[in-house]
Amino acid sequence: MRWIRWSKRLFAIAACLLALYCGVGYFAVPSLLRYTLPHHITTTTNHVLSVGEVAFDPWRGRLQLGALVWRDRDGLIFLCGERLFVEMAFWQSLREKTLIVEQLILSEPFLRLERDRAGVLNITQLLPESEPSPTPSALPRALPLRVEQARIDAGKALYRQARGDRPAAQEIIDEFTLTLSQLDLTTTQPAQLTITLTSQNAQLTSTAELALAPFAIDGELAVTGLDLPRLTPWLGDNPSLQWARGRAELKTAYRFTRGAEPQTAWQLSLPAAQLSFTDLDLHAEDDKSWRIQTETLIWRDLAVTLQENAAGAIAA
């Protein structure tokens, strides 16, 4: 019968389309990403990206990248990660014409940050030399994107700062986590940001709201267990200033803005900070030697504002 023949044809067409979809999703997409993603990022940033495993599940919209290594112009590792997992709401994204990411998880990354003698961070090398960096107000309109949750788990970091003729100062972050949720570039609603850092020197926790137009972070910050003698290498060009002993804690609300005013590059405000010291011993050995010793010192309602103008000068 005619309808049986048409049913067989429709079934054959559906089977072919299904096989084509599976072939593209499971084989073509990973092969394409394995080549195009490193090539695009390498040519854009002049940092070489290599990717090991690439897997894509077209039914669930899940992408997994393994063994990520991102090297700078000198061949040193800038960022590497054990695994990057992305889960997208594929069909909902098509309906709403917005890229919707339900989960984005970077597992066990390592980040190396360095500041040279001129005060320039290595992360600025990622920007193309011929193009200015995008203004914060233009970023939200670049792509209709909504991220339900983005997370960095069990990360480690190294921060190194050059100090003229003396050895560079460095700090190792033993573990850091970052969670960003409800990021929606199609609206002006702020996203939720949580950060924790743990090192041999201190522990930092921060919960904040993140806005992109203009860029602003409003939140609460707590630094505990800060070992002051370990700050000696960070005391600038004054080798005579020494922390003999002491610990410090900081609890404060804060607001960080960038590009909010034409003449201000960025501004950091602490409206009512509490800074406390215990078992403090700070001294200097120079032409005018002095020493500060105290068992407990607490500053309450300490207001601090730091800002950098368009010329790069920092004022407090």
Side-chain angles (χ1 to χ4, degrees):
M1 298 178 66
R2 182 175 298 180
W3 68 271
I4 296 179
R5 291 197 301 269
W6 277 107
S7 299
K8 291 181 178 179
R9 291 175 183 176
L10 292 176
F11 180 79
I13 293 174
C16 290
L17 292 176
L18 181 62
L20 179 62
Y21 181 78
C22 292
V24 171
Y26 285 109
F27 301 104
V29 171
S31 299
L32 186 64
L33 287 176
R34 189 178 290 110
Y35 169 76
T36 58
L37 184 62
H39 177 74
H40 175 72
I41 292 181
T42 299
T43 55
T44 303
T45 65
N46 290 325
H47 282 45
V48 179
L49 175 68
S50 61
V51 180
E53 173 194 1
V54 179
F56 180 67
D57 184 345
W59 301 109
R60 298 182 180 180
R62 293 179 177 178
L63 173 66
Q64 181 172 299
L65 306 177
L68 297 164
V69 180
W70 202 4
R71 299 181 183 273
D72 63 14
R73 300 170 185 174
D74 299 323
L76 300 176
I77 292 179
F78 168 70
L79 175 67
C80 62
E82 181 70 21
R83 185 178 73 113
L84 176 64
F85 173 80
V86 182
E87 182 175 3
M88 297 169 287
F90 182 70
W91 301 112
Q92 185 179 357
S93 298
L94 292 178
R95 289 196 305 269
E96 299 185 14
K97 298 181 181 180
T98 299
L99 180 59
I100 301 174
V101 178
E102 295 183 341
Q103 286 191 86
L104 189 152
I105 303 173
L106 179 60
S107 302
E108 301 181 22
F110 171 78
L111 175 65
R112 180 182 60 85
L113 294 175
E114 291 195 8
R115 185 185 295 272
D116 61 21
R117 296 177 182 179
V120 180
L121 275 172
N122 61 342
I123 196 171
T124 60
Q125 298 178 1
L126 298 175
L127 299 176
E129 297 179 356
S130 59
E131 299 180 7
S133 59
T135 59
S137 59
L139 289 176
R141 297 180 177 84
L143 176 70
L145 171 67
R146 186 163 79 240
V147 179
E148 300 295 338
Q149 186 183 74
R151 196 169 75 240
I152 297 177
D153 288 339
K156 297 181 182 295
L158 170 66
Y159 176 71
R160 188 191 302 268
Q161 179 171 318
R163 297 192 303 158
D165 297 332
R166 291 182 292 158
Q170 70 176 29
E171 182 69 24
I172 298 175
I173 306 299
D174 298 314
E175 183 175 353
F176 72 90
T177 61
L178 183 149
T179 302
L180 179 66
S181 57
Q182 304 303 317
L183 175 65
D184 192 345
L185 300 188
T186 63
T187 69
T188 58
Q189 293 297 321
Q192 305 301 312
L193 178 66
T194 302
I195 301 174
T196 62
L197 302 175
T198 302
S199 71
Q200 295 179 353
N201 188 30
Q203 182 174 10
L204 179 148
T205 58
S206 172
T207 57
E209 290 187 342
L210 169 66
L212 296 178
F215 185 87
I217 303 177
D218 291 273
E220 301 283 338
L221 174 69
V223 180
T224 59
L226 183 60
D227 187 9
L228 295 177
R230 291 178 59 89
L231 293 180
T232 299
W234 303 92
L235 295 179
D237 297 324
N238 187 2
S240 63
L241 192 61
Q242 300 287 329
W243 296 98
R245 64 178 184 271
R247 304 189 77 84
E249 293 187 357
L250 172 66
K251 295 180 180 180
T252 182
Y254 70 94
R255 176 175 174 80
F256 178 84
T257 58
R258 184 174 179 85
E261 300 178 7
Q263 301 301 321
T264 302
W266 58 262
Q267 179 172 300
L268 174 64
S269 301
L270 311 180
Q274 176 175 301
L275 180 62
S276 60
F277 299 92
T278 56
D279 194 22
L280 177 64
D281 188 348
L282 173 65
H283 64 89
E285 302 295 338
D286 50 21
D287 295 338
K288 297 181 180 179
S289 299
W290 53 266
R291 189 166 203 153
I292 297 177
Q293 291 179 304
T294 182
E295 193 169 307
T296 302
L297 175 62
I298 300 177
W299 277 326
R300 292 188 177 93
D301 296 329
L302 179 66
V304 179
T305 299
L306 298 173
Q307 67 179 20
E308 180 184 10
N309 60 26
I314 298 178

